[in-house]
């Protein structure tokens, strides 16, 4: 997938100029790419080379009480194997409104991409260019009772459809309702009840329901340094097509993050163990650890990198090919050629262990180099 679609910064850390409160921004990029194993296969791998052209339009308006942001991304991939050629679209919407008592948010997302980008693995499927549409809407509401206490809820509805029956259409719904109590100026305690349901929309019906509480701590040391952690228990039940429970599992879950940001250095560390919907008809209990770093060497040069680990667990051990674990790493560079033009490069490595009928280990290396043009924002 294009680097812009992955959210990778094209500027060395931050834009040198502060944009106006209401603005439109355009970014154009042209990249050459190489992927040693585009289908994430254990055997009979073939490499893929090509070019990826991307255009992004960002509309933003904000003030102390209101936020509106719309991000539109269109990309075109052309490769030495034309069966992989694709035109992809991504839409992201964020709306927010707040006053002294209430915060209301609405986030929306639409992705029209291929499973090469949207799925955590290929599940051993050799179909080269399966189209995936993802619709997601996330409303949220917070009520501040007083200076110390607040209640809130966030609901996430997601629907994923595919143009090939080798992947399974599904719907996922999740809700997190919480109470937050501020202990002092830097520390807060959080109690959350989480509920999630995953349901397949074709083939043999599979419904997976999870519910459980977590307790958490939020640390806000400064604008530059924040952290949080949540730990709890979750009961997951899987049902067959006639609604009969086939199995259930109780396990621990957690999430946490540490964020540090200055003008020259950014670090984001995240850890999570939670249900993850997938396109093979299963909801996966996925443990995910990720560390991302960015460093501004000079006004022209920035470096960035990441390392990650994933481990998958299942209520019922899958017979078909599925993910067991993954190691991944990436390194990138951005160099300011001119005020509005950057040269970028990224190297990524993935090693996955698969279980089920297609058990084995796969490796994948990819390289992306390109140019990104980003003229100054225009006031609206």
């Amino acid at each position: 997938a294009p680097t812009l679609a992955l959210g990778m910064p094209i500027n060395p850390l931050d834009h040198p100029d502060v944009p106006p409160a209401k603005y439109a921004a355009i970014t154009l990029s042209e990249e050459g790419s190489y992927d040693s194993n585009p289908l994430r296969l254990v055997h009979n791998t073939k490499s893929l080379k090509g070019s990826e052209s991307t255009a992004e339009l960002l509309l933003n308006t904000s003030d102390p009480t209101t936020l509106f942001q719309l991000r539109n991304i269109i990309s075109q991939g052309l490769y030495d194997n034309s069966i992989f050629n694709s035109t992809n679209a991504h839409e992201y919407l964020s709306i927010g409104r707040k006053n002294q008592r209430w915060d209301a948010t609405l986030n929306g997302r639409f992705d029209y991409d291929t499973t090469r980008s949207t799925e955590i693995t290929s599940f051993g499927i050799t179909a080269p260019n399966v189209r995936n549409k993802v619709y997601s809407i996330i409303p949220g509401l917070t009520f501040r009772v007083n200076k110390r206490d607040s209640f809130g809820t966030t609901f996430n509805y997601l629907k994923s459809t595919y143009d090939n029956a080798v992947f399974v259409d599904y719907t996922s719904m999740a809700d997190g309702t919480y109470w937050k109590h501020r202990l002092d100026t830097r520390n807060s305690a959080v109690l959350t009840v989480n509920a999630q349901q995953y349901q397949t929309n074709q083939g043999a019906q599979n419904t997976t329901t999870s519910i459980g509480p977590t307790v958490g701590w939020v640390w806000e040391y400064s604008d530059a340094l924040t952290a949080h952690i949540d730990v709890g228990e979750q009961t997951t039940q899987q049902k067959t097509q006639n609604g009969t429970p086939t199995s259930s599992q109780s396990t621990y879950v957690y999430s946490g993050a540490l964020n540090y940001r200055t003008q020259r250095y950014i670090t984001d560390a995240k850890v999570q163990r939670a249900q993850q919907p997938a396109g093979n008809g299963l909801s996966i209990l996925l443990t995910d650890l990720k560390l991302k770093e960015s460093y501004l060497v000079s006004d022209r040069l920035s470096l960035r990198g990441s390392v990650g680990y994933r481990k998958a667990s299942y209520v019922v051990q899958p017979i078909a090919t599925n993910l067991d674990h993954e190691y991944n790493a990436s390194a990138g560079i951005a160099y300011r050629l001119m005020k509005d033009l950057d040269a970028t490069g990224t190297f990524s490595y993935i090693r996955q262990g698969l279980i089920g009928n297609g058990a084995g280990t796969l490796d994948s290396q990819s390289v992306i180099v390109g140019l990104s043009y980003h003229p100054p924002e225009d006031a609206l």
Side-chain angles (χ1 to χ4, degrees):
T3 54
L4 286 180
L6 293 174
M8 195 173 202
I10 59 165
N11 300 336
L13 295 187
D14 295 312
H15 197 290
D17 301 318
V18 177
K22 299 180 180 181
Y23 67 87
I26 296 175
T27 301
L28 305 174
S29 70
E30 183 67 32
E31 299 167 322
S33 66
Y34 167 82
D35 194 330
S36 67
N37 188 0
L39 292 180
R40 305 292 185 264
L41 300 178
V42 175
H43 305 292
N44 302 318
T45 63
K46 293 183 180 180
S47 63
L48 184 69
K49 297 186 292 292
S51 65
E52 297 171 352
S53 306
T54 304
E56 175 183 356
L57 172 63
L58 176 63
L59 303 176
N60 186 91
T61 176
S62 60
D63 57 44
T65 62
T66 305
L67 169 68
F68 175 86
Q69 188 176 89
L70 180 63
R71 188 180 181 207
N72 308 273
I73 301 172
I74 301 293
S75 64
Q76 172 73 50
L78 301 174
Y79 304 98
D80 57 351
N81 184 349
S82 61
I83 199 170
F84 284 90
N85 292 351
S86 63
T87 301
N88 307 316
H90 306 268
E91 305 282 338
Y92 305 97
L93 173 67
S94 293
I95 301 174
R97 179 76 176 178
K98 65 180 180 179
N99 56 33
Q100 291 183 342
R101 288 284 191 180
W102 295 91
D103 284 359
T105 60
L106 179 64
N107 293 306
R109 164 188 159 204
F110 169 73
D111 295 302
Y112 178 66
D113 210 326
T114 67
T115 53
R116 288 180 56 216
S117 300
T118 60
E119 298 300 315
I120 58 174
T121 188
S122 67
F123 308 111
I125 297 170
T126 59
N129 203 15
V130 178
R131 306 298 304 183
N132 182 203
K133 294 180 182 178
V134 177
Y135 310 83
S136 176
I137 183 169
I138 309 174
L141 190 65
T142 299
F143 174 67
R144 285 178 287 278
V145 180
N146 50 50
K147 292 183 179 181
R148 287 182 173 269
D149 297 287
S150 60
F151 292 89
T153 186
T154 301
F155 181 77
N156 187 342
Y157 174 85
L158 185 148
K159 185 175 182 180
S160 182
T161 61
Y162 306 87
D163 69 353
N164 191 317
V166 295
F167 287 89
V168 180
D169 297 349
Y170 67 86
T171 300
S172 174
M173 293 179 286
D175 179 77
T177 300
Y178 65 88
W179 166 68
K180 183 177 180 180
H181 176 71
R182 182 169 289 277
L183 302 171
D184 54 39
T185 56
R186 293 182 178 177
N187 299 278
S188 300
V190 184
L191 174 63
T192 307
V193 177
N194 299 289
Q196 182 173 347
Q197 183 180 77
Y198 168 91
Q199 181 174 320
T200 57
N201 297 328
Q202 68 183 69
Q205 186 172 342
N206 171 30
T207 300
T208 304
T209 304
S210 303
I211 188 168
T214 62
V215 293
W217 168 65
V218 179
W219 181 53
E220 299 168 296
Y221 180 78
S222 66
D223 291 340
L225 179 60
T226 61
H228 82 263
I229 186 168
D230 295 276
V231 180
E233 186 179 20
Q234 182 182 85
T235 299
T236 301
Q237 187 176 77
Q238 187 171 308
K239 295 182 180 181
T240 59
Q241 188 165 3
N242 61 11
T244 303
T246 57
S247 57
S248 62
Q249 178 187 74
S250 294
T251 186
Y252 62 94
V253 292
Y254 52 80
S255 66
L258 175 68
N259 308 107
Y260 178 67
R261 296 173 181 266
T262 69
Q263 288 297 315
R264 288 190 170 272
Y265 185 77
I266 297 176
T267 182
D268 291 307
K270 296 182 179 180
V271 57
Q272 181 172 323
R273 178 179 166 91
Q275 291 292 328
Q276 169 73 38
N280 66 334
L282 291 175
S283 180
I284 302 170
L285 180 61
L286 191 67
T287 301
D288 198 349
L289 294 82
K290 192 79 171 182
L291 175 63
K292 297 173 64 177
E293 306 276 351
S294 296
Y295 178 62
L296 183 62
V297 180
S298 68
D299 291 341
R300 287 182 175 269
L301 177 67
S302 71
L303 306 176
R304 58 187 66 93
S306 69
V307 292
Y309 171 76
R310 289 174 168 176
K311 175 65 178 175
S313 301
Y314 305 90
V315 178
V316 177
Q317 196 71 3
I319 298 175
T321 304
N322 218 316
L323 179 70
D324 179 66
H325 64 273
E326 175 188 299
Y327 300 92
N328 60 74
S330 69
I333 185 172
Y335 186 77
R336 178 66 50 82
L337 298 172
M338 300 168 57
K339 181 180 179 180
D340 303 330
L341 184 67
D342 293 339
T344 60
T346 306
F347 171 79
S348 301
Y349 172 77
I350 296 175
R351 165 166 282 198
Q352 291 184 340
L354 305 181
I355 57 175
N357 292 336
T361 300
L362 66 88
D363 292 282
S364 174
Q365 300 89 36
S366 63
V367 178
I368 299 176
V369 294
L371 295 173
S372 295
Y373 174 65
H374 47 92
E377 299 89 348
D378 287 330
L380 295 176

